[in-house]
Amino acid sequence: MPPFSILDLSPICEGGDAAQSFRNSLSLAQHGERLGYRRYWLAEHHGMPGIASAATAVLLAHVGAGTSTIRIGAGGVMLPNHSPLVIAEQFGTLESLYPGRVDLGLGRAPGSDQRTARALRRDLDTNADQFPQDVLELMDFMSKEPRQPVMAVPGRGLEVPIWILGSSTFGAQLAAHLGLPYAFASHFAPQQLMQAIEIYRTTFQPSAQLAKPYVMLGFNVFCADTDEEARFRASSWQQAFVNLRSGRPGRLPPPVEGYRERVGPAESALLDSVLSCSAVGSPQTVRAAVDAFVARTGADELMVTSQIFDHQARLRSYELLAKLRQD
């Protein structure tokens, strides 16, 4: 099995608040560190009632202070929302605090609805089409010999490892062209997965950061002692995803028995599509699903997300998954 890492959306559960989500996020990162997970990443989203990781760099500083060895990073920072200089300074600060442990994943989606994106953007001319230029500008700010006169302090010379994130072939082409590692959001948008991997691997150009292609894939895991319990735990994420795609975003709901059997055909088809990059079940069931996914994709690393309502059950899911690599 390839290495496992953790993707955390810092979910806000029904009956909870952001403060509880932050305590849970630190607990999860510490748990992952003990279990041997390679990275702990947070995702930037805005204006979503069920996701608390909007101020990604701030929350990463909190997690970094409570851990010592696991890599911490953004999966990702939605660069169209920000000035490259600000991100260079933020992640230069993180790298200065936790040297050798910081990753910076960059995406070109806003991570929000259009109205929220408009409120976030630094000026009216900013748009996602500038993403490649913004990536190059950000990399230059953190290089040892930047070409631009403005200095990122801290940031200059720290060369925080950059990843390109994507859910389409655009990010694959950019990552290959720049010689950067590529993370695909197959945990919620698997439609172009195989095409993007093929483009990335066949057109990859080596760089100072990376000599050969490196693919990390998002993967949902809901692991419990039995298949029945795992399906029950997964129903929270299924409800939240259907609500989001139906224009009713909310907090992560508690699990319910028999949810999949009660949804309509459109919702069922939606979940079937997303669940193509998921493993739900006992350790034996999850092992079979992970093995099949890795065999199909050749993933170099899996970025595992587990949107489970009960925090202890979430920790247990990651624990059972980690044991699969030890067997």
Side-chain angles (χ1 to χ4, degrees), residues 33 63-73 95 98-103:
E33 184 171 80
V63 170
T67 55
S68 57
T69 58
I70 195 169
R71 296 191 66 85
I72 59 172
E95 177 65 20
Y98 314 114
R101 292 178 55 201
V102 178
D103 299 319

Side-chain angles (χ1 to χ4, degrees), residues 82-98:
H82 309 281
S83 156
L85 175 59
V86 169
I87 299 304
E89 291 171 340
Q90 289 179 357
F91 280 78
T93 299
L94 289 169
E95 177 65 20
S96 299
L97 288 169
Y98 314 114

Side-chain angles (χ1 to χ4, degrees), residues 148-217:
Q148 51 203 325
V150 177
M151 187 181 301
V153 182
R156 179 176 180 175
L158 295 181
E159 296 183 323
V160 175
I162 298 289
W163 292 67
I164 298 297
L165 278 58
S167 58
S168 69
T169 58
F170 179 91
Q173 296 174 55
L174 180 62
H177 178 72
L178 298 178
L180 297 175
Y182 181 52
F184 190 88
S186 38
H187 59 293
F188 75 89
Q191 290 78 14
Q192 299 186 51
L193 170 61
M194 300 307 295
Q195 184 182 4
I197 292 174
E198 176 68 16
I199 289 172
Y200 173 68
R201 287 180 173 146
T202 57
T203 62
F204 180 85
Q205 301 176 30
S207 68
Q209 179 175 328
L210 193 63
K212 60 182 182 179
Y214 193 90
V215 175
M216 180 162 61
L217 301 179

